[in-house]
Amino acid sequence: MHGNKVALVTGANKGIGFEISRQLGKHRFKVVLAARDEQKAAAAAKLLKAEGLDAYGVLLDVTKPTTAEAAARWLDERFGRLDVLVNNAGVGYEFATGTKPSQLTVETLRATYETNFFGVFTVTQHLLPLLRKSAPARIINQSSTLGSLGLLSDPKLPYYGNNFLAYNSSKTALNGLTLAFAKELAGEGVVVNSVCPGWVKTDMGTEAAPRTVEQGAAIAVKLATMDNPPTGKFLDDSGEIRW
């Protein structure tokens, strides 16, 4: 059981992030639901409290470093540490329109990277001192098989046709970030991994997706709660994914 451990999940007011928070709460984590809308974060935490879970809402817009800094101060004042960081917040602007790489605007490309890559970098940097305080600690980055160059480049696989330049490359970059931090923190008791939740029924995934949020949350929760987790890996429910 994890009654004294603290976890923060970004993009936690709905979808996979909310379900990860719920499942960690059921593992007796003190769970902090972070969202870019403070009222939505508080409302989501209230729902989990109604289920008897130890939940808190906090403002954290991953594209605004000042909110990450403020969230770090709040965590330090309230708990003095952080045991698990789940970088879950993400965007995928191309899915609804099927935008081809040659049609992509630089504004959309930058906006995608601001959340999916730079946002993760910013949050990780601001919260890392608190994770170091509680080592062994875990950082779990929500990636996607669409960030796997090995899978995307194989015409025999179904991923080949999903040619979303902004989203896919932002997740490839995120996987590079995972490896870099895993290497740096290897001797400090902080493990860092990328995970893929699969295609999940969310606002981004749509109702056409085959997986539930419960299924999508499972791999992140497993890495947050398991004994002796690996580090520097890209994982889903079936095991390791090709980079």
Side-chain angles (χ1 to χ4, degrees), residues 109-124:
L109 181 61
R110 285 177 174 148
T112 302
Y113 269 74
E114 281 296 330
T115 296
N116 293 0
F117 179 76
F118 292 111
V120 175
F121 176 75
T122 298
V123 171
T124 300

Side-chain angles (χ1 to χ4, degrees), residues 143-149 152 167-169 171-172 175 234 243:
S143 186
S144 169
T145 49
L146 296 182
S148 165
L149 295 178
L152 287 176
Y167 182 83
N168 296 1
S169 66
K171 294 301 186 178
T172 305
N175 287 343
F234 185 16
W243 291 111

Side-chain angles (χ1 to χ4, degrees), residues 216-235:
I219 184 61
V221 174
K222 179 180 179 180
L223 283 172
T225 57
M226 70 187 296
D227 294 329
N228 303 313
T231 193
K233 302 295 183 183
F234 185 16
L235 304 160

Side-chain angles (χ1 to χ4, degrees), residues 173-218:
L174 175 60
N175 287 343
L177 180 152
T178 293
L179 276 175
F181 274 101
K183 289 177 183 179
E184 178 183 351
L185 301 173
E188 300 183 43
V190 181
V191 302
V192 190
N193 293 288
S194 285
V195 299
C196 175
W199 185 15
V200 178
K201 293 182 190 295
T202 62
D203 288 350
M204 187 189 301
T206 75
E207 284 298 312
R211 288 169 63 83
T212 65
V213 289
E214 291 82 5
Q215 291 170 319

Side-chain angles (χ1 to χ4, degrees), residues 7 15 31 35 58 60 75 78 104 122 134 137 158 173 183 203 209 216 220-221 223 232-233:
V31 61
V58 68
L60 203 174
L75 284 166
R78 182 170 286 268
L104 184 69
T122 298
S134 64
K183 289 177 183 179
D203 288 350
V221 174
L223 283 172
K233 302 295 183 183

Side-chain angles (χ1 to χ4, degrees), residues 8 60-76 81-82 85 87 118-133 139 181:
L8 182 140
L60 203 174
D61 182 337
V62 303
T63 67
K64 296 180 179 177
T66 54
T67 68
E69 184 179 359
R73 286 197 304 269
W74 181 87
L75 284 166
D76 195 20
R81 71 185 195 286
L82 181 64
L85 168 62
N87 284 307
F118 292 111
V120 175
F121 176 75
T122 298
V123 171
T124 300
Q125 280 208 325
H126 279 96
L127 299 188
L128 187 55
L130 294 170
L131 289 157
R132 281 176 160 141
K133 283 184 180 182
I139 299 172
F181 274 101

